[in-house]
Amino acid sequence: MTYLAVLLALSPLAAKSESVENTSKIERITVTGSRIVESLDEVPASITLIDQQSIQENLQVSTELQNLLALAVPGMAASTGSTSNFGQTLRGRNVLVMIDGVPQDTPLRNGGLGIRTLDPASIERIEVVNGATSIWGNGAAGGVINYITKKPGEGAANVRLSQSIRSSLVNVEDSLGYRSVLSLDGSAGKLGYVAKLSQEKYGVQRDADGDILGLQYGLSDSRQRDAFVKLAYQLDDVQTLQFSYNYYDSDQDARYRDVPGNIDLGEKTYAVPLNAGEVVQGAPQGPEGNYNLMLKYQHDELFSNTALVVDAYRQKIDNVFFWSSTLANPEQGFDGGQSAILSEKEGLRAVLTSAVTLGQVDATFIYGVDVLRDVTSQPLLDGRIWVPEMDMASQGVFVQSKWALNDWTLKAGARRESVRVTVADYETLRLCRNAQTCSSPMAVAGGKIDYDANTYNLGLRYRWSDAFSPFISYSEGFEVPDLGLLLRTATVNDISLIQSEASVVKNYEAGFSSQLDALYLNVAIYRSESELGTGSQLDSATGIYRPVRAPQKIWGYEASAEYHLSDVWQFSAAYGYAEGKDTKNDIYLGARQISAPKLTSAVRYRPNADLSYSLYWLHVFNRDRFSPNADGFYTADQGPVNSYDVLNVSANYQVNNWQLFAGIENLLNEDYFPARSQSFRYGTGYSVKGLGATLNMGVSYSF
């Protein structure tokens, strides 16, 4: 707290009387909405842009991208407060996470870890497409989050060193952590480059009472390492070749054990040091050396008015989960187990863009092909196979058109998706929640599962004036179910008998944007429908949560606003509301999909070019749609959510080549359970409170 107070005290001395132009004003263009660069006022859809200023302000408080997305995107569920984004949906559905267009999720066995895949210091901006889209294919039922990495800078070499420390303000003991970042970029002739190395070590994470947060998906005593490199070579005036590589790993090696709580009784799960002679069960949890490798070729004039972009990529994912006693099998001598999601992807994407003029109408056609092979499995570290290898080959062919006539923009497109998944014969595991409650193994004959779908989109935007630019759109998204979850809980003897059909999500949306001098406003209402969504239900006989497939309907509305009172003061706010039902059984959807409504706001104060402050506020509202059982307990994801508030503050001061910064997460030390902790009943590991007041401060030097 003292460090931030010093910066606040210095502000009158550092402030200048004249106003300062805000050089970080957001650039309202997107490449994610249609796979080409275009202005937002041409897009008949809701797109959220997170610029470099917002990223930097949040980095001064926390490096967790979950927190940033929850604050910036109206339809994004509140942060889970952990390394897992399981339950953090976008508009009530799964979201496709990408790095420069390369998918990071494992849709065949969704582990909820896609958001946390690289260090945010490598990110230039984030573009979020809200709502189902067929532009990017499988997995984009709720929308797309695209991390766009930094570009080479001007000059031969721009070097930046950053060092920060982090500590609980409630109880400092063992909570001290550090973060180190070295970045280098520049250009030499036709070659541009970006390189970055980062390492972050967390101390124990403490709640508002000073207790150590529960370890499941936890950050206590964890370490993250990231290496990123990008090389861009200008072959000639119209051709560019680009290579990029990102390596990310994270592990939690905490010498603690959990004391389980019960959220229905108001009891939290927290961690305590191991007793003498105790050992940690299982291996450290976290990604073990995930990487992305991409080669990109761009030709701006392949032939008349036609450009070509080709991306070839390879990806390896090895995500190790926590040790769990529910993976026990006493017959074989296992008192628990630990799983890992393994996935290897190889893909190729080719996109052509042609511009033509037909009479008075300017038209653009975007068309191409996406090819992907994805081999995913979920073994246990002890050698048992929980989910067998699923070998997926997919091809997507698409065409998207944009028609511009005066103040009207019409978009229409279609995509053909063909997917084949091959699975060998396998046997489900015998798992015992306790001595009396065990599942029965099932020998399942493998085979091939084919998915084919045509999806369409149509949208219209009218630029009536800067003050009012309405749009309406219809878009379909294609989603293969979490096949691994269906396979590992199979109760039939052949995969052809498993209810594994894919789902086409239909998204209807209307809204408008408005620019009124210093005020920028976006409002949207939406409705999405799927013939076969996925929920879960507890099987009391086996103690296993089994997937339930049923039609689903989700609806909601969003609003966001930015107001530049002056070059010194800026304000922003966003509100998101979503609700949904299983229409077959006429019951509300649980928190795995539907998040409690939330309101976020930010205040930025920049008295001069060298000094700035920011204040971010998150308010999560109540959501209570379900009744407890006869014992007074809730099940699955149906617990009620009670409202809470989190306030973050940051400041930075530039002195020549030096930058001093500080931030406090949960400034008021709010004592709360995050929304997911309140609603989830999938074990005591989720009954973890939110982070208490935590200080982050550091210094950067550029030369």
Side-chain angles (χ1 to χ4, degrees), residues 481 486 495-501 532 548-550:
L486 299 174
I495 64 168
S496 65
L497 302 176
I498 297 174
Q499 195 176 12
S500 60
E501 296 90 342
L532 210 57
V548 177
R549 309 296 305 279

Side-chain angles (χ1 to χ4, degrees), residues 65-67 69-71 76-80 84-90 93-95 115 591-593 595 676 680:
L65 288 166
Q66 268 199 49
N67 300 346
L69 290 164
L71 287 168
M76 197 82 184
S79 173
T80 66
S84 166
N85 54 272
F86 175 46
Q88 191 179 29
T89 55
L90 180 59
R93 299 195 183 275
N94 292 329
V95 61
I115 285 179
R592 282 184 61 173
Q593 290 182 264
S595 59
R676 188 183 74 170
F680 274 24

Side-chain angles (χ1 to χ4, degrees), residues 215-217 252 258 280-285 320-328 334-339 381-382 384:
L215 301 178
Q216 182 172 304
Y217 296 118
Q252 182 189 43
D258 276 343
V280 176
Q281 291 180 305
Q285 58 180 312
V320 178
F321 289 85
F322 53 89
W323 188 92
S324 174
S325 61
T326 62
L327 298 178
F334 297 112
D335 60 352
Q338 193 170 7
S339 72
L381 300 190
D382 55 36
R384 291 177 288 169

